[in-house]
Amino acid sequence: MTTHQDRKLYLGPRLRVLRRELGLNQAQMAQELGVSPSYLNHLERNQRPLTAQMLLRLANTYEIDVRDFVAGAAQADGGDLQSVFADGLVRDIGIARNEVMEVAENYPGVSEAIMRLYRALTDLREAPGRVEELTVRPVSASNAVQWLRDMLQARRYHLSDIDDAAEALAADLGAGLEAMRPAMRAMLADRYGIRVQVVEDGVLVDALWHYDFHRRRLMLSERMDEQSRQFAVAVRLAESALADRIRAEVDRAGAPDDETRMLLRRALVSYAAAAIVMPYARFLQVAQDSHYDMELLKARFGVSYEQAAQRLVTLTRPTARSVPMFMMKIDWAGAVSKRCTSDGAWVARAGGGCARWGVQRAFRQPGEPVTALVEAPDGERFVTVARAIPPRPGRAPSMIILGCPDRHAGQISGLTRMSAPPVDAIPIGPRCHLCERAGCPDRALPPVTRVLDLSDYARPASPYPFRAI
């Protein structure tokens, strides 16, 4: 019978970690221990056990505590593996503790692989709250976009310094479209020497507008509607008149790299332009008085539906704030290209992929709002309004979704065009492969975090029933 004292010690991963902590390659460590590099390689790959003589050489050469070096590995790995196999996903298999310990002690590479897979599974279970991180995008772009979203979310999508400066600038331009539009162009020309010129189709290749820095000329394509032209002029005015405020905000944010910094600067310029065209106090007053009537907001400020929707999310000034709103932009294929929320609403962070929501109906009735009352997995309810946006030159149609917690439904009747929201809430989740709602009859895929529970003797309502954990 093999006793505990006779058990062979396979501590390859521990030996490899020690070598890397010391900053040595295999040849250097082998030379210091007086063994061949091939023998050391066998030890690290657990193809040879670590003998008592080798343990003494390690202790004498690198001044390590042999007891800690030997005892820590199997105990830690065994404990971690035990928690993995106690998970509800595999608990019913009934893997004996001694089997788990044998794997931990004798197959540390396998143990590490299992732990990595389990950590990935844990991440998937948390995915409804972090679904944006799972979208398929280039890694660098995803990191930059996610950083920007996190930064703006931390500020509740309100940048007070830029907003205050933009509001003061808007006051100089005058109230109303008839005064503001020519005043913006005049200010660009008189203060900054920049002329605005509408050019014929074909002059601007693959662009709707272009700023000629050398000739100090902003060229706008004749294909642009008046709303888009106004915003392009506001962008150039923001870059000229609010340059110091924008630069200070960029420096304060501390973007991690040049790519993120450029993305941040572009977002802040757009924010400033929106704040000029839709001054905070004036825009909030009209929104509240009209119960968030989007048609009135569009007409009063000469903006698009998307511009007005995104501005609503930024109205979070502590002394004067709107209903807490969220906004999403979804393309024809169902991909979410924009998410903004002033209060971290689940729907804005993780929604958009559930077929039960029914927002795709908006594409079949362009211009008409599709109102719904939905319930998130945590039980919170939201009133949402989806509206299709007609295609623009070179762009496919998209959809804007606006919403707020249902407790504010009475304040947004101008947005929903209903005296009261629906009574019955639609339970929604993230995309099917991430959703753990049980009994969903519209499920297209089973959740990757659960085990299917199929039976030959019963046919449940859901096509992919799974076990509760």
Side-chain angles (χ1 to χ4, degrees):
M1 178 178 177
T2 302
T3 66
H4 179 76
Q5 288 78 10
D6 297 328
R7 185 181 300 157
K8 294 180 179 179
L9 296 175
Y10 291 89
L11 302 176
R14 298 276 288 182
L15 183 58
R16 185 164 56 249
V17 168
L18 174 64
R19 177 173 60 78
R20 290 174 177 172
E21 288 176 347
L22 294 170
L24 302 174
N25 58 36
Q26 284 188 339
Q28 291 169 329
M29 176 174 266
Q31 183 178 8
E32 293 179 0
L33 293 174
V35 297
S36 68
S38 61
Y39 178 67
L40 182 62
N41 183 50
H42 286 312
L43 291 176
E44 288 192 1
R45 295 169 62 185
N46 276 345
Q47 293 177 341
R48 296 280 185 88
L50 204 64
T51 64
Q53 183 181 11
M54 279 300 301
L55 279 173
L56 289 174
R57 289 189 186 184
L58 285 168
N60 292 331
T61 305
Y62 302 118
E63 298 182 356
I64 63 172
D65 188 316
V66 173
R67 289 172 298 181
D68 291 342
F69 188 78
V70 173
Q75 290 176 0
D77 291 345
D80 290 342
L81 276 186
Q82 197 69 39
S83 66
V84 172
F85 292 116
D87 188 276
L89 194 63
V90 293
R91 188 189 304 129
D92 61 318
I93 299 175
I95 301 174
R97 187 177 187 279
N98 65 307
E99 293 183 38
V100 176
M101 295 304 297
E102 183 177 348
V103 171
E105 292 177 4
N106 298 324
Y107 306 100
V110 174
S111 300
E112 177 62 21
I114 292 172
M115 291 305 304
R116 290 185 186 182
L117 289 170
Y118 187 66
R119 285 192 289 269
L121 174 63
T122 302
D123 287 343
L124 279 174
R125 286 173 173 166
E126 296 173 357
R130 301 167 44 224
V131 72
E132 297 171 49
E133 300 173 16
L134 302 177
T135 54
V136 181
R137 296 179 183 174
V139 173
S140 60
S142 177
N143 289 341
V145 170
Q146 188 60 45
W147 183 94
L148 179 60
R149 285 177 178 168
D150 291 343
M151 189 280 289
L152 292 174
Q153 181 62 59
R155 304 278 189 90
R156 302 178 69 83
Y157 279 85
H158 177 66
L159 306 170
S160 57
D161 286 352
I162 292 179
D163 236 317
D164 293 344
E167 195 165 23
L169 181 62
D172 293 338
L173 295 170
L177 286 180
E178 297 302 320
M180 177 170 280
R181 282 178 174 168
M184 285 197 298
R185 298 190 181 202
M187 184 177 288
L188 276 177
D190 297 341
R191 291 190 186 180
Y192 306 103
I194 299 173
R195 293 183 299 109
V196 179
Q197 179 182 357
V198 177
V199 298
E200 294 182 356
D201 185 35
V203 174
L204 302 179
V205 181
D206 296 329
L208 292 176
W209 62 268
H210 172 73
Y211 177 56
D212 186 341
F213 180 81
H214 297 289
R215 294 183 176 85
R216 309 288 288 174
R217 179 177 57 167
L218 175 63
M219 294 181 289
L220 308 177
S221 170
E222 65 178 350
R223 288 182 175 273
M224 297 176 72
D225 57 35
E226 197 58 44
Q227 300 162 341
S228 300
R229 291 180 188 177
Q230 174 181 261
F231 200 79
V233 172
V235 165
R236 179 47 48 191
L237 183 58
E239 289 197 292
S240 302
L242 304 181
D244 292 342
R245 297 290 183 109
I246 293 170
R247 189 182 305 111
E249 198 69 54
V250 170
D251 293 340
R252 187 182 303 121
D257 52 50
D258 290 341
E259 179 188 51
T260 308
R261 186 180 178 88
M262 291 178 63
L263 190 66
L264 169 63
R265 185 183 180 282
R266 189 176 70 175
L268 296 187
V269 170
S270 294
Y271 182 98
I276 293 171
V277 174
M278 296 170 278
Y280 194 103
R282 205 186 312 165
F283 190 80
L284 175 61
Q285 189 66 53
V286 176
Q288 292 176 332
D289 291 347
S290 67
H291 297 281
Y292 297 84
D293 186 328
M294 296 297 287
E295 293 306 313
L296 177 59
L297 289 170
K298 286 171 54 185
R300 181 73 59 87
F301 295 92
V303 294
S304 68
Y305 190 92
E306 180 178 349
Q307 290 165 355
Q310 187 156 349
R311 183 58 170 153
L312 286 175
V313 179
T314 69
L315 303 180
T316 59
R317 184 181 287 170
T319 56
R321 63 167 300 165
S322 76
V323 166
M325 305 284 287
F326 62 81
M327 171 205 163
M328 300 170 62
K329 184 177 182 180
I330 300 180
D331 66 21
W332 186 265
V336 180
S337 59
K338 186 179 293 185
R339 299 177 185 268
C340 308
T341 170
S342 60
D343 62 349
W346 178 90
V347 176
R349 290 185 291 105
C354 184
R356 305 202 74 192
W357 194 351
V359 292
Q360 295 295 328
R361 287 187 290 122
F363 283 122
R364 298 197 296 270
Q365 45 192 78
E368 292 299 316
V370 174
T371 303
L373 176 64
V374 298
E375 182 178 291
D378 60 5
E380 190 170 3
R381 294 185 171 193
F382 301 89
V383 176
T384 67
V385 180
R387 177 168 168 169
I389 305 300
R392 290 186 290 170
R395 293 190 180 184
S398 59
M399 178 194 342
I400 300 296
I401 300 175
L402 272 171
C404 69
D406 69 333
R407 62 184 179 273
H408 300 289
Q411 299 173 254
I412 62 169
S413 58
L415 171 64
T416 62
R417 298 189 187 178
M418 300 177 69
S419 57
V423 176
D424 297 326
I426 304 169
I428 65 171
R431 295 188 182 276
C432 288
H433 68 289
L434 301 174
C435 181
E436 295 187 345
R437 276 194 182 276
C440 177
D442 299 310
R443 179 176 288 282
L445 292 169
V448 296
T449 56
R450 298 293 186 94
V451 175
L452 287 176
D453 188 16
L454 303 176
S455 170
D456 291 332
Y457 305 102
R459 183 62 58 88
S462 175
Y464 298 104
F466 51 85
R467 300 176 190 170
I469 294 179

